[in-house]
Every structure is written in structure tokens, then in C-alpha cells.
Amino acid sequence: FDGLYFTNNSSGLLLSSIGVNGATMKKYLNHPEFFSALTQLKPQLVILWFGTNESYSNYTPENFKNDLIQMQSKIKSSISNVSILVITPPLSLLKNHESNTVLNHYSDGIISLMKEYHFAVLPVFEFLKQKGGMSFLKKEQLIAKDNVHYTRKGYTYLAQLIFNGLQVKPKM
């Protein structure tokens, strides 16, 4: 797992992205290099954003929940005092242009585990549904023609949602 690291000589923020396009949570769980990289980076916050790739690979909601539990456990055992933020998957359609309902189950699963496993959740899936779902994404030209990937404008929109979500103080 190679990654992208932004550094400078000032103290403060180190941004690292060790994501791999097309990878599923299971792939990360099966590669100790991922956890070694996290241990070396010693992050204060780990953001996990899974779901889209799993939804296209017969990954059951139960398997998704179990893997998320295992992922957060491995992260917390690798790095003491780390905070974890899990982002619910964004909306997408199946190849036959039907709603990708598995994402709804994944999102519900993430939210149901939040309190028990002590991680924060940014509900992107729910937010996009409330904005109007796929109709909104298409009207605003945020989703690509394949109805899975997002346009440049769409990824910028998602990044802004995440940035704004990071500014919110958690409810206790």
C-alpha cells in the first residue's frame, strides 16, 4: 500500500492518503502493511470511507459490519488514543440503473455500530438522500454518466461536505 503524503517543516497537519482505487475493506484487513504504515504515521485521526466497492462485489451488510468492527479494532490496537471517523458511502446506482440499496444497509450498519465501538460518523449517504438523492446529483452534475463515480465537481462537493463535517463539534 503506497500512499500520498503532504509534509512541510511546520508543525501541525500531516495529510496522508493510503487509499487504493477499487480496494475493499477486506483487502486492507488482509494486508499488514496497511497497519504498519498507520503505526509509523501515528495519526490522531483516521478517516475510513468504504462501501461503494463492497456493494458491487456481493459483500453482505453483515460482512461489512463485521469487517468494520475488525478494522476499527486493528486500528485502535495499532495506535493508542486514535480517533476514528467513518464516512457513510455516497450514493450510486447499479449497472442496470437501479438503486444501490446495499449502500443503505451499509450506512445503517455504520450508524448502528457508532456508540458501541466509539467512532464518529459523517452521514454522507443520508445527507445526499435528503438533498434529493440521485436526482439532485444528476441535476447538479455531481455524478458521472456511469452513476457510480463522481465528476470533478462532485468530488469537490463531497470534499466540502467532509471538510464541513470535520468542523462540527460532536454531540455528547
Side-chain angles (χ1 to χ4, degrees), residues 30-58:
N30 291 330
H31 282 83
E33 301 89 6
F34 171 70
F35 299 98
S36 294
L38 281 179
T39 302
Q40 291 172 1
L41 289 169
K42 299 179 189 116
Q44 294 174 332
L45 173 65
V46 172
I47 300 174
L48 302 174
W49 198 2
F50 291 102
T52 301
N53 294 333
E54 287 83 357
S55 74
Y56 292 96
S57 60
N58 298 321

Side-chain angles (χ1 to χ4, degrees), residues 1 5 14 16 18 28 31-48 71-72 74-76 78-80 82 84:
F1 286 88
Y5 304 93
L14 166 67
S16 170
I18 50 179
Y28 285 92
H31 282 83
E33 301 89 6
F34 171 70
F35 299 98
S36 294
L38 281 179
T39 302
Q40 291 172 1
L41 289 169
K42 299 179 189 116
Q44 294 174 332
L45 173 65
V46 172
I47 300 174
L48 302 174
M71 175 67 79
Q72 72 84 35
K74 282 186 165 190
I75 290 169
K76 288 198 177 250
S78 298
I79 310 150
S80 60
V82 67
I84 298 174

Side-chain angles (χ1 to χ4, degrees), residues 51-52 55-56 91-94 98-104 125:
T52 301
S55 74
Y56 292 96
L91 298 175
S92 67
L93 295 180
L94 299 173
E98 289 183 16
S99 181
N100 190 347
T101 58
V102 174
L103 295 176
N104 192 45
F125 181 85

Side-chain angles (χ1 to χ4, degrees), residues 20-135:
V20 177
N21 289 339
T24 61
M25 195 169 359
K26 182 67 79 189
K27 183 164 183 137
Y28 285 92
L29 287 170
N30 291 330
H31 282 83
E33 301 89 6
F34 171 70
F35 299 98
S36 294
L38 281 179
T39 302
Q40 291 172 1
L41 289 169
K42 299 179 189 116
Q44 294 174 332
L45 173 65
V46 172
I47 300 174
L48 302 174
W49 198 2
F50 291 102
T52 301
N53 294 333
E54 287 83 357
S55 74
Y56 292 96
S57 60
N58 298 321
Y59 208 77
T60 68
E62 194 61 36
N63 287 342
F64 185 85
K65 280 176 65 172
N66 290 336
D67 284 352
L68 182 57
I69 292 167
Q70 188 179 356
M71 175 67 79
Q72 72 84 35
S73 176
K74 282 186 165 190
I75 290 169
K76 288 198 177 250
S77 67
S78 298
I79 310 150
S80 60
N81 296 322
V82 67
S83 296
I84 298 174
L85 171 64
V86 181
I87 302 173
T88 60
L91 298 175
S92 67
L93 295 180
L94 299 173
K95 289 181 183 177
N96 59 6
H97 299 284
E98 289 183 16
S99 181
N100 190 347
T101 58
V102 174
L103 295 176
N104 192 45
H105 296 295
Y106 291 170
S107 184
D108 289 346
I110 290 168
I111 292 168
S112 74
L113 296 173
M114 175 177 59
K115 285 186 180 177
E116 182 179 354
Y117 290 94
H118 309 289
F119 56 78
V121 173
L122 185 61
V124 167
F125 181 85
E126 293 73 12
F127 178 81
L128 292 174
K129 280 179 61 178
Q130 288 177 359
K131 289 292 282 185
M134 292 301 290
S135 299

Side-chain angles (χ1 to χ4, degrees), residues 132-145:
M134 292 301 290
S135 299
F136 165 74
L137 295 174
K138 289 177 181 183
K139 178 179 152 233
E140 297 298 322
Q141 299 177 337
L142 301 175
I143 192 134
K145 290 181 178 158

